[in-house]
């Protein structure tokens, strides 16, 4: 419960640091003969803070050992889901991919198997989110999106493991364990995201 409140508070702090804005707009660049000025919007600042939060959560997860290799809560996905609902798929994809690349550089994993696993999971989960965002919101909430994204992330990683890292049929025995982890963490992350979105809406 304390962990859930912490993440909700972090998202609310990032949100409250700027006023309610429309979906992120492109920064504008103005040039004159001597200088180049980049004009950013409040939404740009808000997205940057959320991206930094996602990177921080990803790095934090990597620091602590997991009882089962490859099984992580995926706390950074909370930020991705939040951005998806608030700003749309394009911005969510930008945040997710920047998180993967920046975290791998910070951890020294860039272009390593760990980076490939993280990138494959992120790409497949983004593809699923792109499709799932068109589901009827009356019956499918952000919790549904979170669970689907978690399953897609695990599937992407297991595919890389099977085809490249461990090309052995025995990998299939891990599917039930990873699927259960995806279901649990997907539900928890989706619930936290839902509460964060509700809190932000109530404060408007």
């Amino acid at each position: 419960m304390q962990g859930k409140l912490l993440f909700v508070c972090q998202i609310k702090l990032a949100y409250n640091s700027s006023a309610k804005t429309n979906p992120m707009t492109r920064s504008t660049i103005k040039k004159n003969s001597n200088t180049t000025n980049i004009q950013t919007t409040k939404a740009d600042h808000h997205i940057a803070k959320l991206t930094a939060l996602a990177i921080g959560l990803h790095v934090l997860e990597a620091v602590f050992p997991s009882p089962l290799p490859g099984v992580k809560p995926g706390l950074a996905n909370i930020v991705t889901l939040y951005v998806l609902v608030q700003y749309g798929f394009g911005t969510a994809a930008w945040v997710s991919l920047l998180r993967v690349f920046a975290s791998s550089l910070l951890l020294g994993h860039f272009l390593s198997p760990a980076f490939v696993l993280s990138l494959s999971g992120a790409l497949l989960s983004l593809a699923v989110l792109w499709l799932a965002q068109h589901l009827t919101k009356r019956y499918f909430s952000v919790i549904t999106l979170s669970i689907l994204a978690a399953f897609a992330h695990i599937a992407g990683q297991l595919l890389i493991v099977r085809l490249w890292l461990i090309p052995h049929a025995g990998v299939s025995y891990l599917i039930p364990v990873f699927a259960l982890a995806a279901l649990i963490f997907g539900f928890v992350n989706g619930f936290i995201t839902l509460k964060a979105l509700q809190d932000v809406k109530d404060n408007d």
Side-chain angles (χ1 to χ4, degrees):
M1 180 61 69
Q2 292 179 345
K4 183 190 79 172
L5 292 175
L6 174 63
F7 295 126
V8 171
C9 289
Q10 287 176 320
I11 291 178
K12 287 177 66 178
L13 284 173
Y15 179 87
N16 291 333
S17 63
S18 60
K20 178 67 176 177
T21 58
N22 293 324
M24 187 176 67
T25 56
R26 292 180 180 274
S27 301
T28 57
I29 300 177
K30 291 186 176 182
K31 295 183 178 180
N32 55 41
S33 57
N34 297 320
T35 62
T36 299
N37 297 322
I38 301 178
Q39 296 183 344
T40 59
T41 66
K42 291 181 178 179
D44 293 331
H45 300 162
H46 186 204
I47 295 298
K49 292 175 182 178
L50 289 172
T51 304
L53 176 59
I55 295 171
L57 291 174
H58 187 103
V59 173
L60 183 64
E61 275 191 356
V63 173
F64 294 97
S66 173
L68 183 63
V71 176
K72 299 284 186 178
L75 298 176
N77 295 328
I78 298 172
V79 180
T80 301
L81 289 167
Y82 178 87
V83 173
L84 174 68
V85 175
Q86 292 289 85
Y87 294 97
F89 176 79
T91 305
W94 182 85
V95 169
S96 179
L97 294 177
L98 182 59
R99 182 256 305 174
V100 171
F101 279 88
S103 299
S104 67
L105 289 172
L106 290 173
L107 295 169
H109 295 164
F110 186 61
L111 298 182
S112 70
F115 166 76
V116 176
L117 288 173
S118 181
L119 181 60
S120 63
L123 289 174
L124 193 54
S125 63
L126 285 173
V128 169
L129 284 176
W130 182 79
L131 294 172
Q133 68 177 336
H134 302 293
L135 294 174
T136 305
K137 292 181 175 57
R138 180 179 178 182
Y139 302 106
F140 300 96
S141 69
V142 69
I143 295 179
T144 306
L145 298 182
S146 179
I147 293 174
L148 292 175
F151 274 109
H153 194 278
I154 289 295
Q157 291 187 330
L158 286 177
L159 185 63
I160 294 298
V161 170
R162 176 64 178 85
L163 296 178
W164 178 36
L165 298 177
I166 308 177
H168 190 278
V171 173
S172 61
Y173 292 111
L174 297 175
I175 293 178
V177 177
F178 281 92
L180 179 61
L183 178 62
I184 295 174
F185 291 132
F187 176 83
V188 172
N189 291 343
F191 181 78
I192 295 173
T193 306
L194 182 63
K195 294 298 294 183
L197 290 168
Q198 290 175 345
D199 289 344
V200 169
K201 184 177 180 181
D202 292 340
N203 290 333
D204 288 346

